[in-house]
Structures are given as structure tokens and as C-alpha cells.
Amino acid sequence: APYVTFPVAFVVGLVGSQLEWFLRGDPPPTAQEEKSISEQREDRKLQEIAGEDLTKVVSLKDKLEFAPRAVLNRNRPEKS
């Protein structure tokens, strides 16, 4: 079965790709110049950070939650 199926699948794939290339023509030039998803994500993060003041952060002493509430909720005193 593999000796018959592989050549048939190969020929069908080759004919299909040639037909698609013939119908669509050359790919648009912008497809090669597009940024990858990771580059787009990095650009978006940089734009979000650009307007913020990165020197103003919350002190670790002021943060009460270091672990999920379900783990330490019983032993932690209530903040008033």
C-alpha cells in the first residue's frame, strides 16, 4: 500500500501546488517583508511601555500577596 499511495499523493500534491501557483501568480512583495509574530509582540510591548514612568513601582513591603490566597489565607492577618 505505501508503494502505491506515496507516488499518487506526491503527484497530486505537485499538480495541486503548480495549479495554485498558476492561479495566484507571484506572491505579493509585502509577504516577505512582514514582521514575525514575536517581532510584532515586542513592538507592541515597547509602545505600551514608552508612555509609562518605569521608576515608579510599588514597594515589596506594601505588597501583601506573595502567594495565592488559597494557600496562605488562613495564616495571614486581615489588613485593616
Side-chain angles (χ1 to χ4, degrees):
Y3 297 111
V4 174
T5 306
F6 179 73
V8 172
F10 183 77
V11 170
V12 169
L14 186 64
V15 169
S17 66
Q18 292 297 321
L19 182 64
E20 182 179 359
W21 176 80
F22 178 73
L23 292 176
R24 289 189 179 194
D26 293 332
T30 58
Q32 297 171 355
E33 298 173 4
E34 287 184 13
K35 293 182 180 180
S36 67
I37 293 176
S38 61
E39 290 174 341
Q40 291 175 359
R41 183 181 305 132
E42 289 174 0
D43 290 344
R44 187 183 68 240
K45 286 182 180 180
L46 286 174
Q47 289 175 357
E48 290 175 358
I49 292 175
E52 297 178 6
D53 184 13
L54 299 178
T55 60
K56 296 181 180 179
V57 293
V58 179
S59 172
L60 290 177
K61 292 179 183 178
D62 295 338
K63 286 186 177 182
L64 185 61
E65 294 293 328
F66 287 109
R69 297 188 77 172
V71 175
L72 299 175
N73 198 22
R74 293 179 288 174
N75 298 333
R76 185 171 296 152
E78 292 296 323
K79 190 174 183 180
S80 354

